[in-house]
Amino acid sequence: METRKSQLDREDIKAVLEAQRAKIAALQRRERHQRPSDDPRGSEGERPSGTLTDNPVFAKGTGGDVEAGDVARGVQAMKECLVEGQYGHPGMPEYPVGSLFTARGEDEGDSLAFLQACEGHHGGPLMSCAMLPPQMQERMLCEDLLSSFEGFQGNWIRFRFEEDAVGRHDLRYSFGCEAELDPSMREMVTKMVPLSKYVMMVRRFSETKNAYTSGLVNQALAGAMRGMLLDWDLMVAQIESQLRSGKSFTLQALWYYVQSPLTAFQLVAKIASDICSRKLRGADVLSYLHDKADKVIGDPLARKFMSRILATTTEPYFDMLEKWMCDARIDDPYGEFVVKENLGIGMGDLETERASSYWTDKFTIRYEDGAPCVPAFLRNCLKEILNTGKYLDLVRTCGHAPDRPLARGVRLEYDEEGTYLLRIKEAYETASRAAVQELHEHNVLHGLEGLKKYFLTAQGDLFLAFMDAGDIDLKSANIPMQQLQDVLQLSVEACSVSSDPMASSLEIVYGSKSLHQLMLDLTRSARTSDAHLDSTRSQLRPIHSMSVSATEKSKMPARNLAMLYYRVPWPLVVVAPDSAIAQYQAFFKHLFDLKWVERELNKTCKLYQSTRMLANFERRAARRLSTGGVNPPPESMTSSKAMQNLMLAYNTCQTMVHFFRQYLLYSSFELLDPLWKALEDDLKKSSNVDEMMEHHMMFLERAMKGLFLSRKLKLPPALFKVEELALDFVKLTSKHLDIDYIALDRAAESSVELDNLKGRAAEAEKRRYKARRVRAVVDAALTNPLYETQLRELSVHFKTRCRDFLSLLVDAYQDAKKSKQGSREDLESLSNLIDRLDFNGYFENTGLRKKA
């Protein structure tokens, strides 16, 4: 109450109230001058219509004559005949106005303060309209309606505030003495009373949404409503001037004037109430208005009106859109635009490991409640909107000033025909061509070729040199990461890529994730990216620094922790972001492990090949016996049991070498090389950056699929078990058959049997001595029960694992053929791999695998 009193003391409020009182006083004086002064009953002739005596209250008897004191009694009856206001007319629609009429401060100084001041100062109780003639009733009703249109309390049309359970106020209008009016006048007034509330709702919205917290879109909508209110106030002033001119003015004339504004204000009031109650802002407001315009498409006038509202309201949003798509600049002070900028990432990050983050995280889509902050009519071109500005920014970061994608003077504006969609597409294509040209100038194909050479192990001599130079370090635990980095640099300098600057930028980092865990991350990331707009798997990050604990480092060999890393320079990072490097790292770990196993098996195979003298000696002895020669002494013969174990070991070793060699040949020549050739052709034909990125991601996905890193999780574990068995076989062989030939040579030189021999005889005797010592060592190792048991178990397990892996390959081939998901090239590659691994139909003929 104190607040309202203080508001009433203000000069502007006092002026309004004085004007209302002066208007009422002038009306009363005018009515007094119209009464006959010489005869209380008036003239004997026909009484003019519209006087007080026309009211049945003053009629006496059937003659209709009025006594001298009847006027005084009529005035007294008019004062005593009071009626109560009936708030909330049943014909007035109730809109959820939210907080439109909820005060925000004592010094607000807007229409709410004015309404609150007028609410308690309505000039006394309601007068009975039955005491007035119809002409006076109609005139006073017109004045009451005009007053209520501007927020004043009238004689019979009044308003009050009501508070709901949550403290929000609502404005309710009442129409007093409704039952005493003529039905025609009552119907006309009933139709026009809701307009007062509609006007006040629109007026209140234009004031509350003008604050900076409401955003530019709501401010633009409020500005459109203020323009509408200015036209309305001018119209009311013109109507009131016509009413004051003394000319005849009826309710029908007023209804004629306000009928069109009533429809417009009803529509706008509904918009204001919905926006306030649902707390819409920014793109949500534009989507709501666009949906509202679509719903009134059958009404040409309403559709035209909504188009004007939309054109005005979308102006700030399209201004932000034009600045982004033409200048790669975000001017969004209130967080309404669909693209947001990460100010924590700047130009300085382009020279660091965060270069990929600059492309993927510098400019991103703004989401609220899981939906992008973009109007519904722009949702289909969301990708073009985001990438256009990013392409222009790419050109700028490369040191060139990008040209404006749209012609000078062409603006992005909302229209019903959708011309803005064509201009967005035009800007996107222009910016994309500029970005593609920039990438080709920076030789993007050469950069991707480097990724193939090093991460796909196409540069074979580098990694063979690295394995040879770091053989001991890779097998040992607790090796410093810098030590392996030095080994890599030495390997680079010793091979054919010593002059390649990219090779000198390669780094060795430690990561605790196994290949199986990396594969799970890739699969999980692929599923997540399919459900979102961004298909570059921006959440997938490569291993770029040591991420292992001291315990893991001390327990695991360096080969299991080592990972290759390369910081992709700008702007190549656009086509090969961090997510792509993470996939390349998985490829490298997979192929490097296979090459390591193949290398270890080749070393083991050479070890078994050093025992060829045993087989040759046995064949010569058998040939000597068949020709009647002398049988060699028993101590120089190898036992049959040892020979059987040797043949089994040699057979197992050759089978393992064949398996991994053929798998690597398939990976390189039948899978990666054809895919890379197709990628190069596609990149040369690409007309925009999106196509280049899409082709590269498609290559990575097909490579993952071909290397069984993205298929069902049954195939990779089966392959990992085959690798483990091969390494176990290598360990078994090196443990039992690791012959020190240098020591044997020293023993042969110091043998007493060679003291009296010289020349060829000495050399022959040395070979025979060495052969006897080798036969003795090999015979002891091959007949060792532990070696024999483990060898037979490994041989059986290896064949079993090969059988399981081949069966899974056959199942994958059949599934791909039935579902028609795999391409012809994929099916041919699978079929060729099955035939490569099952050499000469060995597994199929022995019943160890089913037919494809």
Side-chain angles (χ1 to χ4, degrees), residues 141-181:
L141 284 173
C142 288
E143 291 192 356
D144 268 20
L145 285 171
L146 292 177
S147 298
S148 67
F149 291 161
E150 294 299 312
F152 293 98
Q153 296 279 28
N155 293 315
W156 297 314
I157 301 175
R158 298 180 180 179
F159 63 85
R160 71 177 182 184
F161 288 100
E162 290 186 356
E163 186 175 350
D164 58 13
V166 295
R168 294 179 300 188
H169 291 78
D170 192 11
L171 186 66
R172 294 185 178 272
Y173 279 82
S174 67
F175 177 27
C177 65
E178 180 181 3
E180 302 174 6
L181 284 176

mmCIF file of all heavy atoms in Angstrom, residues 141-181:
data_model
loop_
_atom_site.group_PDB
_atom_site.id
_atom_site.type_symbol
_atom_site.label_atom_id
_atom_site.label_comp_id
_atom_site.label_asym_id
_atom_site.label_seq_id
_atom_site.Cartn_x
_atom_site.Cartn_y
_atom_site.Cartn_z
ATOM 1 N N LEU A 141 -20.655 4.697 -21.972
ATOM 2 C CA LEU A 141 -20.002 3.420 -22.252
ATOM 3 C C LEU A 141 -18.860 3.607 -23.248
ATOM 4 O O LEU A 141 -17.797 2.983 -23.123
ATOM 5 C CB LEU A 141 -21.022 2.411 -22.790
ATOM 6 C CG LEU A 141 -21.968 1.804 -21.760
ATOM 7 C CD1 LEU A 141 -23.031 0.955 -22.440
ATOM 8 C CD2 LEU A 141 -21.199 0.966 -20.749
ATOM 9 N N CYS A 142 -19.073 4.471 -24.255
ATOM 10 C CA CYS A 142 -17.988 4.744 -25.208
ATOM 11 C C CYS A 142 -16.802 5.368 -24.502
ATOM 12 O O CYS A 142 -15.640 5.006 -24.756
ATOM 13 C CB CYS A 142 -18.489 5.662 -26.317
ATOM 14 S SG CYS A 142 -19.613 4.859 -27.485
ATOM 15 N N GLU A 143 -17.083 6.327 -23.582
ATOM 16 C CA GLU A 143 -15.990 6.944 -22.844
ATOM 17 C C GLU A 143 -15.309 5.938 -21.924
ATOM 18 O O GLU A 143 -14.078 5.946 -21.784
ATOM 19 C CB GLU A 143 -16.528 8.131 -22.042
ATOM 20 C CG GLU A 143 -16.955 9.305 -22.908
ATOM 21 C CD GLU A 143 -17.215 10.557 -22.084
ATOM 22 O OE1 GLU A 143 -17.135 10.452 -20.834
ATOM 23 O OE2 GLU A 143 -17.450 11.606 -22.667
ATOM 24 N N ASP A 144 -16.114 5.082 -21.287
ATOM 25 C CA ASP A 144 -15.511 4.060 -20.425
ATOM 26 C C ASP A 144 -14.621 3.109 -21.226
ATOM 27 O O ASP A 144 -13.528 2.726 -20.772
ATOM 28 C CB ASP A 144 -16.603 3.261 -19.717
ATOM 29 C CG ASP A 144 -16.936 3.863 -18.368
ATOM 30 O OD1 ASP A 144 -16.623 5.047 -18.171
ATOM 31 O OD2 ASP A 144 -17.482 3.140 -17.507
ATOM 32 N N LEU A 145 -15.070 2.738 -22.397
ATOM 33 C CA LEU A 145 -14.265 1.829 -23.217
ATOM 34 C C LEU A 145 -12.964 2.483 -23.651
ATOM 35 O O LEU A 145 -11.885 1.870 -23.600
ATOM 36 C CB LEU A 145 -15.072 1.387 -24.449
ATOM 37 C CG LEU A 145 -16.171 0.346 -24.184
ATOM 38 C CD1 LEU A 145 -17.036 0.164 -25.417
ATOM 39 C CD2 LEU A 145 -15.549 -0.989 -23.781
ATOM 40 N N LEU A 146 -13.047 3.756 -24.088
ATOM 41 C CA LEU A 146 -11.821 4.446 -24.493
ATOM 42 C C LEU A 146 -10.869 4.605 -23.316
ATOM 43 O O LEU A 146 -9.645 4.507 -23.469
ATOM 44 C CB LEU A 146 -12.166 5.808 -25.094
ATOM 45 C CG LEU A 146 -12.902 5.780 -26.436
ATOM 46 C CD1 LEU A 146 -13.259 7.189 -26.881
ATOM 47 C CD2 LEU A 146 -12.054 5.102 -27.497
ATOM 48 N N SER A 147 -11.435 4.860 -22.123
ATOM 49 C CA SER A 147 -10.577 4.981 -20.943
ATOM 50 C C SER A 147 -9.920 3.651 -20.613
ATOM 51 O O SER A 147 -8.725 3.592 -20.286
ATOM 52 C CB SER A 147 -11.405 5.472 -19.746
ATOM 53 O OG SER A 147 -11.937 6.752 -20.005
ATOM 54 N N SER A 148 -10.691 2.562 -20.686
ATOM 55 C CA SER A 148 -10.113 1.252 -20.368
ATOM 56 C C SER A 148 -9.084 0.832 -21.407
ATOM 57 O O SER A 148 -8.117 0.131 -21.081
ATOM 58 C CB SER A 148 -11.227 0.198 -20.275
ATOM 59 O OG SER A 148 -11.825 -0.016 -21.550
ATOM 60 N N PHE A 149 -9.266 1.289 -22.649
ATOM 61 C CA PHE A 149 -8.276 0.970 -23.676
ATOM 62 C C PHE A 149 -6.904 1.555 -23.334
ATOM 63 O O PHE A 149 -5.873 0.991 -23.706
ATOM 64 C CB PHE A 149 -8.720 1.494 -25.037
ATOM 65 C CG PHE A 149 -9.914 0.773 -25.615
ATOM 66 C CD1 PHE A 149 -10.676 1.349 -26.634
ATOM 67 C CD2 PHE A 149 -10.284 -0.473 -25.124
ATOM 68 C CE1 PHE A 149 -11.764 0.693 -27.163
ATOM 69 C CE2 PHE A 149 -11.384 -1.127 -25.650
ATOM 70 C CZ PHE A 149 -12.127 -0.550 -26.670
ATOM 71 N N GLU A 150 -6.912 2.693 -22.611
ATOM 72 C CA GLU A 150 -5.653 3.347 -22.264
ATOM 73 C C GLU A 150 -5.220 3.062 -20.837
ATOM 74 O O GLU A 150 -4.253 3.644 -20.350
ATOM 75 C CB GLU A 150 -5.792 4.857 -22.463
ATOM 76 C CG GLU A 150 -5.981 5.268 -23.904
ATOM 77 C CD GLU A 150 -4.800 4.866 -24.752
ATOM 78 O OE1 GLU A 150 -3.657 5.117 -24.349
ATOM 79 O OE2 GLU A 150 -5.022 4.279 -25.830
ATOM 80 N N GLY A 151 -5.961 2.197 -20.126
ATOM 81 C CA GLY A 151 -5.554 1.800 -18.780
ATOM 82 C C GLY A 151 -6.185 2.586 -17.661
ATOM 83 O O GLY A 151 -5.721 2.500 -16.514
ATOM 84 N N PHE A 152 -7.263 3.355 -17.934
ATOM 85 C CA PHE A 152 -7.935 4.130 -16.896
ATOM 86 C C PHE A 152 -9.107 3.329 -16.342
ATOM 87 O O PHE A 152 -9.700 2.496 -17.038
ATOM 88 C CB PHE A 152 -8.457 5.462 -17.451
ATOM 89 C CG PHE A 152 -7.374 6.408 -17.866
ATOM 90 C CD1 PHE A 152 -6.992 6.498 -19.198
ATOM 91 C CD2 PHE A 152 -6.740 7.195 -16.929
ATOM 92 C CE1 PHE A 152 -5.994 7.367 -19.586
ATOM 93 C CE2 PHE A 152 -5.734 8.068 -17.317
ATOM 94 C CZ PHE A 152 -5.357 8.145 -18.645
ATOM 95 N N GLN A 153 -9.460 3.643 -15.086
ATOM 96 C CA GLN A 153 -10.687 3.113 -14.512
ATOM 97 C C GLN A 153 -11.860 3.924 -15.043
ATOM 98 O O GLN A 153 -11.790 5.159 -15.152
ATOM 99 C CB GLN A 153 -10.660 3.211 -12.981
ATOM 100 C CG GLN A 153 -9.581 2.365 -12.328
ATOM 101 C CD GLN A 153 -9.994 0.903 -12.196
ATOM 102 O OE1 GLN A 153 -10.797 0.414 -13.001
ATOM 103 N NE2 GLN A 153 -9.445 0.230 -11.204
ATOM 104 N N GLY A 154 -12.961 3.263 -15.383
ATOM 105 C CA GLY A 154 -14.136 3.949 -15.870
ATOM 106 C C GLY A 154 -15.260 3.942 -14.853
ATOM 107 O O GLY A 154 -15.101 3.510 -13.700
ATOM 108 N N ASN A 155 -16.414 4.449 -15.262
ATOM 109 C CA ASN A 155 -17.564 4.436 -14.380
ATOM 110 C C ASN A 155 -18.113 3.034 -14.176
ATOM 111 O O ASN A 155 -18.493 2.656 -13.070
ATOM 112 C CB ASN A 155 -18.667 5.344 -14.953
ATOM 113 C CG ASN A 155 -18.263 6.813 -14.933
ATOM 114 O OD1 ASN A 155 -17.733 7.297 -13.942
ATOM 115 N ND2 ASN A 155 -18.474 7.506 -16.054
ATOM 116 N N TRP A 156 -18.145 2.253 -15.257
ATOM 117 C CA TRP A 156 -18.691 0.903 -15.175
ATOM 118 C C TRP A 156 -17.676 -0.169 -15.575
ATOM 119 O O TRP A 156 -17.816 -1.314 -15.178
ATOM 120 C CB TRP A 156 -19.923 0.797 -16.101
ATOM 121 C CG TRP A 156 -21.027 1.708 -15.662
ATOM 122 C CD1 TRP A 156 -21.494 1.873 -14.418
ATOM 123 C CD2 TRP A 156 -21.751 2.587 -16.509
ATOM 124 N NE1 TRP A 156 -22.489 2.800 -14.375
ATOM 125 C CE2 TRP A 156 -22.693 3.268 -15.661
ATOM 126 C CE3 TRP A 156 -21.741 2.895 -17.871
ATOM 127 C CZ2 TRP A 156 -23.582 4.222 -16.146
ATOM 128 C CZ3 TRP A 156 -22.631 3.822 -18.346
ATOM 129 C CH2 TRP A 156 -23.536 4.475 -17.494
ATOM 130 N N ILE A 157 -16.687 0.196 -16.371
ATOM 131 C CA ILE A 157 -15.668 -0.773 -16.791
ATOM 132 C C ILE A 157 -14.416 -0.527 -15.964
ATOM 133 O O ILE A 157 -13.757 0.511 -16.102
ATOM 134 C CB ILE A 157 -15.364 -0.631 -18.293
ATOM 135 C CG1 ILE A 157 -16.638 -0.844 -19.116
ATOM 136 C CG2 ILE A 157 -14.289 -1.638 -18.710
ATOM 137 C CD1 ILE A 157 -16.447 -0.609 -20.595
ATOM 138 N N ARG A 158 -14.113 -1.464 -15.078
ATOM 139 C CA ARG A 158 -12.993 -1.302 -14.167
ATOM 140 C C ARG A 158 -12.142 -2.574 -14.156
ATOM 141 O O ARG A 158 -12.530 -3.596 -14.703
ATOM 142 C CB ARG A 158 -13.495 -0.997 -12.758
ATOM 143 C CG ARG A 158 -14.276 0.316 -12.686
ATOM 144 C CD ARG A 158 -14.765 0.603 -11.292
ATOM 145 N NE ARG A 158 -15.512 1.853 -11.244
ATOM 146 C CZ ARG A 158 -16.078 2.332 -10.139
ATOM 147 N NH1 ARG A 158 -15.978 1.662 -8.994
ATOM 148 N NH2 ARG A 158 -16.738 3.478 -10.187
ATOM 149 N N PHE A 159 -11.010 -2.477 -13.514
ATOM 150 C CA PHE A 159 -10.098 -3.617 -13.441
ATOM 151 C C PHE A 159 -9.534 -3.715 -12.034
ATOM 152 O O PHE A 159 -9.617 -2.778 -11.239
ATOM 153 C CB PHE A 159 -8.952 -3.480 -14.456
ATOM 154 C CG PHE A 159 -8.068 -2.295 -14.207
ATOM 155 C CD1 PHE A 159 -7.010 -2.357 -13.306
ATOM 156 C CD2 PHE A 159 -8.295 -1.092 -14.869
ATOM 157 C CE1 PHE A 159 -6.209 -1.267 -13.081
ATOM 158 C CE2 PHE A 159 -7.496 0.001 -14.652
ATOM 159 C CZ PHE A 159 -6.456 -0.084 -13.744
ATOM 160 N N ARG A 160 -8.986 -4.845 -11.754
ATOM 161 C CA ARG A 160 -8.281 -5.057 -10.489
ATOM 162 C C ARG A 160 -7.245 -6.172 -10.693
ATOM 163 O O ARG A 160 -7.328 -6.936 -11.654
ATOM 164 C CB ARG A 160 -9.247 -5.435 -9.375
ATOM 165 C CG ARG A 160 -9.824 -6.832 -9.520
ATOM 166 C CD ARG A 160 -10.718 -7.176 -8.351
ATOM 167 N NE ARG A 160 -11.240 -8.525 -8.466
ATOM 168 C CZ ARG A 160 -12.113 -9.045 -7.614
ATOM 169 N NH1 ARG A 160 -12.584 -8.314 -6.609
ATOM 170 N NH2 ARG A 160 -12.539 -10.282 -7.778
ATOM 171 N N PHE A 161 -6.293 -6.244 -9.769
ATOM 172 C CA PHE A 161 -5.255 -7.273 -9.809
ATOM 173 C C PHE A 161 -5.642 -8.410 -8.874
ATOM 174 O O PHE A 161 -6.156 -8.187 -7.769
ATOM 175 C CB PHE A 161 -3.901 -6.702 -9.375
ATOM 176 C CG PHE A 161 -3.286 -5.793 -10.379
ATOM 177 C CD1 PHE A 161 -3.367 -4.408 -10.247
ATOM 178 C CD2 PHE A 161 -2.642 -6.316 -11.474
ATOM 179 C CE1 PHE A 161 -2.811 -3.580 -11.187
ATOM 180 C CE2 PHE A 161 -2.067 -5.495 -12.425
ATOM 181 C CZ PHE A 161 -2.164 -4.122 -12.275
ATOM 182 N N GLU A 162 -5.389 -9.608 -9.338
ATOM 183 C CA GLU A 162 -5.587 -10.790 -8.512
ATOM 184 C C GLU A 162 -4.285 -11.591 -8.480
ATOM 185 O O GLU A 162 -3.607 -11.726 -9.496
ATOM 186 C CB GLU A 162 -6.723 -11.661 -9.054
ATOM 187 C CG GLU A 162 -8.090 -11.035 -8.888
ATOM 188 C CD GLU A 162 -9.211 -11.980 -9.308
ATOM 189 O OE1 GLU A 162 -8.877 -13.084 -9.798
ATOM 190 O OE2 GLU A 162 -10.379 -11.613 -9.151
ATOM 191 N N GLU A 163 -3.968 -12.121 -7.318
ATOM 192 C CA GLU A 163 -2.718 -12.854 -7.115
ATOM 193 C C GLU A 163 -3.021 -14.337 -7.004
ATOM 194 O O GLU A 163 -3.934 -14.757 -6.289
ATOM 195 C CB GLU A 163 -2.015 -12.360 -5.858
ATOM 196 C CG GLU A 163 -0.642 -12.975 -5.642
ATOM 197 C CD GLU A 163 0.072 -12.359 -4.454
ATOM 198 O OE1 GLU A 163 -0.428 -11.342 -3.934
ATOM 199 O OE2 GLU A 163 1.113 -12.897 -4.059
ATOM 200 N N ASP A 164 -2.199 -15.163 -7.744
ATOM 201 C CA ASP A 164 -2.413 -16.600 -7.689
ATOM 202 C C ASP A 164 -1.580 -17.211 -6.570
ATOM 203 O O ASP A 164 -0.968 -16.511 -5.749
ATOM 204 C CB ASP A 164 -2.076 -17.248 -9.038
ATOM 205 C CG ASP A 164 -0.645 -16.970 -9.461
ATOM 206 O OD1 ASP A 164 0.142 -16.494 -8.629
ATOM 207 O OD2 ASP A 164 -0.318 -17.235 -10.638
ATOM 208 N N ALA A 165 -1.540 -18.558 -6.555
ATOM 209 C CA ALA A 165 -0.878 -19.267 -5.453
ATOM 210 C C ALA A 165 0.624 -19.054 -5.431
ATOM 211 O O ALA A 165 1.269 -19.157 -4.386
ATOM 212 C CB ALA A 165 -1.200 -20.762 -5.529
ATOM 213 N N VAL A 166 1.226 -18.770 -6.593
ATOM 214 C CA VAL A 166 2.679 -18.626 -6.652
ATOM 215 C C VAL A 166 3.108 -17.158 -6.649
ATOM 216 O O VAL A 166 4.265 -16.854 -6.908
ATOM 217 C CB VAL A 166 3.231 -19.325 -7.906
ATOM 218 C CG1 VAL A 166 2.996 -20.813 -7.835
ATOM 219 C CG2 VAL A 166 2.603 -18.744 -9.180
ATOM 220 N N GLY A 167 2.177 -16.254 -6.350
ATOM 221 C CA GLY A 167 2.542 -14.854 -6.223
ATOM 222 C C GLY A 167 2.499 -14.056 -7.499
ATOM 223 O O GLY A 167 2.945 -12.908 -7.517
ATOM 224 N N ARG A 168 1.970 -14.601 -8.577
ATOM 225 C CA ARG A 168 1.871 -13.862 -9.825
ATOM 226 C C ARG A 168 0.542 -13.124 -9.895
ATOM 227 O O ARG A 168 -0.485 -13.646 -9.452
ATOM 228 C CB ARG A 168 2.026 -14.800 -11.024
ATOM 229 C CG ARG A 168 3.389 -15.427 -11.145
ATOM 230 C CD ARG A 168 3.471 -16.348 -12.335
ATOM 231 N NE ARG A 168 2.510 -17.427 -12.237
ATOM 232 C CZ ARG A 168 2.468 -18.468 -13.083
ATOM 233 N NH1 ARG A 168 3.330 -18.538 -14.070
ATOM 234 N NH2 ARG A 168 1.551 -19.400 -12.933
ATOM 235 N N HIS A 169 0.571 -11.917 -10.459
ATOM 236 C CA HIS A 169 -0.631 -11.100 -10.559
ATOM 237 C C HIS A 169 -1.244 -11.216 -11.946
ATOM 238 O O HIS A 169 -0.530 -11.337 -12.935
ATOM 239 C CB HIS A 169 -0.293 -9.639 -10.260
ATOM 240 C CG HIS A 169 0.083 -9.397 -8.826
ATOM 241 N ND1 HIS A 169 1.329 -9.708 -8.327
ATOM 242 C CD2 HIS A 169 -0.628 -8.894 -7.789
ATOM 243 C CE1 HIS A 169 1.396 -9.406 -7.051
ATOM 244 N NE2 HIS A 169 0.217 -8.896 -6.698
ATOM 245 N N ASP A 170 -2.552 -11.139 -11.967
ATOM 246 C CA ASP A 170 -3.278 -11.144 -13.227
ATOM 247 C C ASP A 170 -4.220 -9.952 -13.239
ATOM 248 O O ASP A 170 -4.725 -9.508 -12.194
ATOM 249 C CB ASP A 170 -4.061 -12.448 -13.387
ATOM 250 C CG ASP A 170 -4.586 -12.610 -14.805
ATOM 251 O OD1 ASP A 170 -4.163 -11.817 -15.673
ATOM 252 O OD2 ASP A 170 -5.408 -13.515 -15.039
ATOM 253 N N LEU A 171 -4.454 -9.421 -14.398
ATOM 254 C CA LEU A 171 -5.310 -8.249 -14.582
ATOM 255 C C LEU A 171 -6.680 -8.722 -15.039
ATOM 256 O O LEU A 171 -6.801 -9.378 -16.074
ATOM 257 C CB LEU A 171 -4.692 -7.307 -15.614
ATOM 258 C CG LEU A 171 -5.376 -5.972 -15.821
ATOM 259 C CD1 LEU A 171 -5.283 -5.114 -14.576
ATOM 260 C CD2 LEU A 171 -4.755 -5.240 -17.012
ATOM 261 N N ARG A 172 -7.704 -8.367 -14.239
ATOM 262 C CA ARG A 172 -9.076 -8.803 -14.553
ATOM 263 C C ARG A 172 -9.980 -7.578 -14.668
ATOM 264 O O ARG A 172 -9.975 -6.701 -13.798
ATOM 265 C CB ARG A 172 -9.600 -9.757 -13.484
ATOM 266 C CG ARG A 172 -8.855 -11.075 -13.437
ATOM 267 C CD ARG A 172 -9.485 -12.042 -12.459
ATOM 268 N NE ARG A 172 -8.795 -13.327 -12.460
ATOM 269 C CZ ARG A 172 -9.092 -14.320 -13.274
ATOM 270 N NH1 ARG A 172 -10.090 -14.183 -14.137
ATOM 271 N NH2 ARG A 172 -8.418 -15.451 -13.231
ATOM 272 N N TYR A 173 -10.763 -7.547 -15.736
ATOM 273 C CA TYR A 173 -11.680 -6.445 -16.007
ATOM 274 C C TYR A 173 -13.100 -6.845 -15.621
ATOM 275 O O TYR A 173 -13.482 -8.019 -15.728
ATOM 276 C CB TYR A 173 -11.635 -6.060 -17.485
ATOM 277 C CG TYR A 173 -10.476 -5.178 -17.840
ATOM 278 C CD1 TYR A 173 -9.222 -5.723 -18.084
ATOM 279 C CD2 TYR A 173 -10.633 -3.797 -17.909
ATOM 280 C CE1 TYR A 173 -8.150 -4.912 -18.401
ATOM 281 C CE2 TYR A 173 -9.569 -2.974 -18.234
ATOM 282 C CZ TYR A 173 -8.328 -3.534 -18.477
ATOM 283 O OH TYR A 173 -7.278 -2.727 -18.789
ATOM 284 N N SER A 174 -13.865 -5.861 -15.170
ATOM 285 C CA SER A 174 -15.273 -6.083 -14.813
ATOM 286 C C SER A 174 -16.155 -5.114 -15.600
ATOM 287 O O SER A 174 -15.716 -4.028 -16.004
ATOM 288 C CB SER A 174 -15.490 -5.879 -13.316
ATOM 289 O OG SER A 174 -15.292 -4.527 -12.969
ATOM 290 N N PHE A 175 -17.386 -5.506 -15.795
ATOM 291 C CA PHE A 175 -18.360 -4.693 -16.518
ATOM 292 C C PHE A 175 -19.569 -4.561 -15.601
ATOM 293 O O PHE A 175 -20.397 -5.472 -15.482
ATOM 294 C CB PHE A 175 -18.713 -5.364 -17.841
ATOM 295 C CG PHE A 175 -19.774 -4.642 -18.635
ATOM 296 C CD1 PHE A 175 -19.962 -3.264 -18.496
ATOM 297 C CD2 PHE A 175 -20.575 -5.327 -19.526
ATOM 298 C CE1 PHE A 175 -20.924 -2.616 -19.218
ATOM 299 C CE2 PHE A 175 -21.542 -4.674 -20.258
ATOM 300 C CZ PHE A 175 -21.713 -3.324 -20.106
ATOM 301 N N GLY A 176 -19.676 -3.440 -14.898
ATOM 302 C CA GLY A 176 -20.747 -3.230 -13.945
ATOM 303 C C GLY A 176 -22.081 -2.989 -14.621
ATOM 304 O O GLY A 176 -22.160 -2.598 -15.783
ATOM 305 N N CYS A 177 -23.149 -3.181 -13.859
ATOM 306 C CA CYS A 177 -24.544 -2.985 -14.290
ATOM 307 C C CYS A 177 -24.818 -3.626 -15.647
ATOM 308 O O CYS A 177 -25.534 -3.074 -16.487
ATOM 309 C CB CYS A 177 -24.928 -1.514 -14.301
ATOM 310 S SG CYS A 177 -24.037 -0.502 -15.493
ATOM 311 N N GLU A 178 -24.219 -4.799 -15.850
ATOM 312 C CA GLU A 178 -24.396 -5.476 -17.129
ATOM 313 C C GLU A 178 -25.843 -5.881 -17.345
ATOM 314 O O GLU A 178 -26.363 -5.791 -18.469
ATOM 315 C CB GLU A 178 -23.488 -6.700 -17.173
ATOM 316 C CG GLU A 178 -23.581 -7.499 -18.451
ATOM 317 C CD GLU A 178 -22.673 -8.708 -18.411
ATOM 318 O OE1 GLU A 178 -22.028 -8.930 -17.378
ATOM 319 O OE2 GLU A 178 -22.622 -9.431 -19.421
ATOM 320 N N ALA A 179 -26.505 -6.294 -16.241
ATOM 321 C CA ALA A 179 -27.883 -6.793 -16.377
ATOM 322 C C ALA A 179 -28.876 -5.680 -16.681
ATOM 323 O O ALA A 179 -29.996 -5.953 -17.131
ATOM 324 C CB ALA A 179 -28.288 -7.537 -15.106
ATOM 325 N N GLU A 180 -28.514 -4.399 -16.405
ATOM 326 C CA GLU A 180 -29.452 -3.303 -16.583
ATOM 327 C C GLU A 180 -29.381 -2.685 -17.972
ATOM 328 O O GLU A 180 -30.173 -1.799 -18.290
ATOM 329 C CB GLU A 180 -29.177 -2.229 -15.526
ATOM 330 C CG GLU A 180 -29.279 -2.764 -14.111
ATOM 331 C CD GLU A 180 -28.862 -1.713 -13.095
ATOM 332 O OE1 GLU A 180 -28.609 -0.570 -13.521
ATOM 333 O OE2 GLU A 180 -28.796 -2.035 -11.899
ATOM 334 N N LEU A 181 -28.450 -3.102 -18.771
ATOM 335 C CA LEU A 181 -28.294 -2.516 -20.100
ATOM 336 C C LEU A 181 -29.206 -3.192 -21.105
ATOM 337 O O LEU A 181 -29.647 -4.334 -20.913
ATOM 338 C CB LEU A 181 -26.849 -2.627 -20.570
ATOM 339 C CG LEU A 181 -25.831 -1.665 -19.966
ATOM 340 C CD1 LEU A 181 -24.442 -1.999 -20.497
ATOM 341 C CD2 LEU A 181 -26.188 -0.221 -20.279
#
